[in-house]
Amino acid sequence: MTTDVHQLDDGAWISVNDSREVNVSDLWLLARSDFCGCETTDFLAEGFVEVGVDYPDIQARIAGQCIACGESGVTDWLTVGRVVDPDSGEFYGVVHESVHFPEKRTRLANAKK
Amino acid sequence: MPSKVEKWKDEVYGNEIREHLMEFAEQGWDAIPEDEHDAWFERFKWWGLYHQRSGQESYFMMRIGTPNGVIKPGQLEVIGEVAKEYASGPADNPEFGDAYCDWTTRQSIQLHWIKLEDIPEIFEKLEAVGLGTQQACGDSWRNIVGCPVAGKDKHEHVDAWPVAEDLHETFKGNDDYSNLPRKWKVAIAGCDEGCGQGDINDLAFEPAEKDGELGFNVRIGGGLSRKEPRLARDIDVWVPPEQAADVAHGMSTLFREHGDREDRFNARIKFLMDEWGPEKMRSVLQEEYVDFELETAGEDMRDQYSYNTGSQDGHNDHVGIHEQKDGNYYVGLNVLVGRMGADDVIELAELADEYGSGEVRLTQRQNIIVTDVPEENLDAFTSEPLLEDYSPEPSPFMRGSIACTGTEYCSLSIVETKNRQVRYARWLKDNVELPEDHKDFHIHLSGCTASCAQPQIADVSLRGMKTRKDGEPVEALDIGLGGGLGDDPRFADWVEMRVPADEVPGAIKNLVNNFEDAREGGETFRDFVEDRDEETLAEMVEPEETDYHDPYMHNTKMTWYPYAEDDDMQSSPAPTDGSGEPLPSDD
Ligand code: HEM
Ligand code: SF4
Ligand SMILES: [Zn+2]
């Protein structure tokens, strides 16, 4: 089966194969990003703007704010989890409290709004 | 490429959703195919059902749309009974118990913890008395809002209630408008107080006179969401009451054809207004969507508006006892954060019957009005014990409080809202003294930027955020000041960001004291804010811990229910079957 990913309820959460998997209101630590001037961005996720699949990664661009410096905006592509076996469709979320590296470009097959 | 939601809407949307909903309800929660959950939950919104947040799967928020907030005789009792019988979940709320109604900022009603299996029975009970949930959420004409005392008020120039009712009947369930690019919010008012709140709706009719005739001027494109607040803009059109429906038809058809269906974030008509401007909006409406010559705008009454102006005289809200034009009285009762226990609702229905006509009305400030009370009944009515909790003469901090749904049920939320605002209001009442001449002071708390509590039009605006305190993430609020409506509406200036939620009452206390010291003469709070720059204002908001205690600092969104004894997400009983027994979960 193909992995079906979208954001719903005005970007409140990411659905992976009709299961709510990633929610707004979590804090993510972003390193090596130019989101703000902080060494690591202490990022509050307020809304999922775009989602896509770069097998096996599920990726998203997230609107939110650095709660250390106050800079707000939309991140580059972040891996929010993986679907390792497309047949089972099982989703493994990343630990959002650990450090993440947003990517400028991505090989998204089917980025969707 | 049209969005996913548009694809689902193309397949099934509007009235036809109902048969599917009923079928699923008959068969039970498990009957909804797992790979169709998202599509069906998106569609159910059209019938007023919103799937609650993570950890509360299989439970729905149900919204009942009451146009202009009018609840006719006999309806309130049914609303209370439905809430009592069906709106209780697996855990109680420590402030409000286990069954309650929320009166909303768009004059609607929200019930929570509704089970799919109970929906047919609930619909039957509501519809038997003329109530319904159709189009209460979803991409269509939403509940029409207006002056809650339309038809009763002494300040009224055009009775907007029959017009609102006509719009409701014309556009509810009408297949031509059932699938719009996004929600469509309409306000209509005929009084000179400005309490329709037209300025923050997609389409607004406000009273105006043209060549000696009373009708409405039209404004388009207001809205508060997503850090993109807009005031509705004047498109230089006046309509007589009998043509309001034609212009509404024209505007909502224009929106249907021109709204952005590829990007839901850009779909509201406020963004089309950004792109087109009012002149083009008017000319496209004239040329393509109405078949008569539009009149230019008439003379409006905005300079008389007093509602939510912060002017400290006139009608800032509808709380209190006011004479109607028929010589009876309406009694506006304060409902703190809009939430009322089901038993209280049932009791109020009895009192409204006994002392008034049985009719009540909801305001856009989450309060309730008992109308048609004869003068000789006023004393007995206002001495009823129920009115100690829902007072017509509340403290300004109780009266001015509005809060949205927040982390209790809402997916978008960042922070806890209603219970927190209840605690704020109590603490402020006991600890803060407003200047003598300030009877109105509005504090609105929204759990995120969607702005359901309309924070940008409050004296003190609070919006959900997070920060770190001693390294630990805690719930926090951005603080804005000086918003309000009136002739010259103004959105709040956000002056102090990410204040830990337990330091907000202290911040408001310091702000009020600093205002009292620094104000010149009889300067109102709103003028005071308008006349000072953000830096000066930011210095006056001094966040501070006090003896206020906040039990919700701990990132309540990560719980399955913020007030449950064991609130851990893993301990959620959801999803449950029709009788509330946990079902095996798919993940
Ligand atoms: C489950 C609970 C709720 C959810 C998920 C929700 C969702 C939203 C969203 C996403 C928006 C902004 C999006 C847009 O521009 O269309 C919004 C705005 C708004 N909602 Fe809610 N809402 C909820 C409850 C409420 C309640 C209780 C009220 C009270 C009537 C309410 C009234 C409003 C108002 C007045 C606005 C802002 C004004 C505007 O932009 O038009 N909502 N809501
Ligand atoms: S303002 Fe945000 S948190 Fe509050 S009810 Fe609306 S969407 Fe939910
Ligand atoms: Zn930063």
Side-chain angles (χ1 to χ4, degrees), chain A residues 64-109:
Chain A
Q65 193 171 129
C66 172
I67 63 165
C69 71
E71 186 65 41
S72 66
V74 178
T75 64
D76 290 325
W77 290 95
L78 270 173
T79 296
V80 297
R82 289 183 181 82
V83 174
V84 181
D85 173 8
D87 286 329
S88 80
E90 191 143 344
F91 177 83
Y92 300 91
V94 299
V95 179
H96 52 82
E97 296 94 338
S98 59
V99 178
H100 300 269
F101 304 95
E103 291 170 38
K104 272 256 174 301
R105 289 183 312 159
T106 179
R107 291 155 287 139
L108 293 180

Side-chain angles (χ1 to χ4, degrees), chain B residues 333-354:
Chain B
L333 304 179
N334 182 58
V335 183
L336 187 52
V337 302
R339 183 166 285 180
M340 194 163 178
D343 288 324
D344 292 348
V345 172
I346 294 168
E347 189 180 339
L348 186 66
E350 284 164 13
L351 298 180
D353 247 350
E354 188 180 339

Side-chain angles (χ1 to χ4, degrees), chain B residues 194-470:
Chain B
C195 42
Q197 300 201 158
D199 285 340
I200 56 166
N201 280 265
D202 295 302
L203 166 61
F205 293 98
E206 56 179 7
E209 190 174 330
K210 176 110 191 182
D211 304 328
E213 202 188 333
L214 287 161
F216 305 97
N217 280 351
V218 179
R219 287 182 184 238
I220 306 287
L224 301 176
S225 62
R226 295 188 51 237
K227 293 192 184 168
E228 298 270 8
R230 297 285 186 285
L231 293 166
R233 293 170 74 180
D234 184 355
I235 62 162
D236 192 22
V237 169
W238 177 89
V239 274
E242 62 278 9
Q243 276 180 339
D246 298 321
V247 168
H249 148 81
M251 269 318 306
S252 51
T253 310
L254 182 155
F255 177 56
R256 187 185 71 204
E257 316 271 299
H258 293 279
D260 187 346
R261 288 188 193 257
E262 310 210 335
D263 180 0
R264 293 182 65 74
F265 294 124
N266 193 45
R268 290 286 292 277
I269 200 161
K270 66 185 178 184
F271 298 113
L272 191 63
M273 181 60 99
D274 284 356
E275 202 183 312
W276 284 7
E279 292 82 21
K280 178 170 176 189
M281 194 65 79
R282 187 188 202 280
S283 67
V284 175
L285 172 68
Q286 174 71 76
E287 281 154 33
E288 296 173 38
Y289 298 101
V290 290
D291 54 12
F292 55 91
E293 190 72 24
L294 293 168
E295 304 255 13
T296 57
E299 190 171 338
D300 65 38
M301 302 168 189
R302 292 176 69 94
D303 60 351
Q304 297 169 59
Y305 283 7
S306 65
Y307 174 85
N308 196 14
T309 54
S311 61
Q312 306 300 331
D313 56 35
H315 225 171
N316 264 276
D317 59 25
H318 298 85
V319 174
I321 302 171
H322 305 270
E323 194 177 358
Q324 300 178 180
K325 58 188 172 196
D326 65 0
N328 287 326
Y329 288 78
Y330 70 82
V331 182
L333 304 179
N334 182 58
V335 183
L336 187 52
V337 302
R339 183 166 285 180
M340 194 163 178
D343 288 324
D344 292 348
V345 172
I346 294 168
E347 189 180 339
L348 186 66
E350 284 164 13
L351 298 180
D353 247 350
E354 188 180 339
Y355 297 110
S357 62
E359 183 194 77
V360 300
R361 296 189 173 192
L362 304 177
T363 77
Q364 297 189 63
R365 300 195 52 80
Q366 300 183 327
N367 293 322
I368 194 162
I369 301 169
V370 176
T371 58
D372 309 326
V373 182
E375 190 171 0
E376 64 269 23
N377 288 353
L378 282 174
D379 280 346
F381 177 44
T382 53
S383 316
E384 287 285 343
L386 187 71
L387 271 62
E388 283 163 27
D389 291 333
Y390 306 98
S391 169
E393 287 180 321
S395 136
F397 292 112
M398 300 277 172
R399 177 176 192 152
S401 290
I402 289 185
C404 75
T405 302
T407 52
E408 186 174 15
Y409 303 113
C410 174
S411 298
L412 266 164
S413 60
I414 310 290
V415 300
E416 205 283 338
T417 49
K418 281 199 194 283
N419 289 25
R420 173 172 280 141
Q421 180 85 331
V422 166
R423 300 174 69 91
Y424 281 2
R426 286 189 194 134
W427 189 90
L428 292 169
K429 178 178 161 224
D430 293 342
N431 292 281
V432 182
E433 200 75 52
L434 283 170
E436 266 301 87
D437 56 355
H438 276 59
K439 303 282 176 245
D440 290 284
F441 196 73
H442 297 168
I443 304 178
H444 299 187
L445 169 54
S446 249
C448 80
T449 60
S451 304
C452 302
Q454 307 172 340
Q456 299 93 333
I457 56 164
D459 295 303
V460 175
S461 322
L462 304 174
R463 181 173 70 195
M465 252 294 137
K466 283 196 180 175
T467 192
R468 285 183 194 272
K469 202 162 168 162
D470 310 320

Side-chain angles (χ1 to χ4, degrees), chain B residues 558-569:
Chain B
M558 288 151 103
T559 67
W560 73 271
Y561 189 61
Y563 331 106
E565 188 117 10
D566 176 2
D567 65 3
D568 195 86
M569 193 62 92

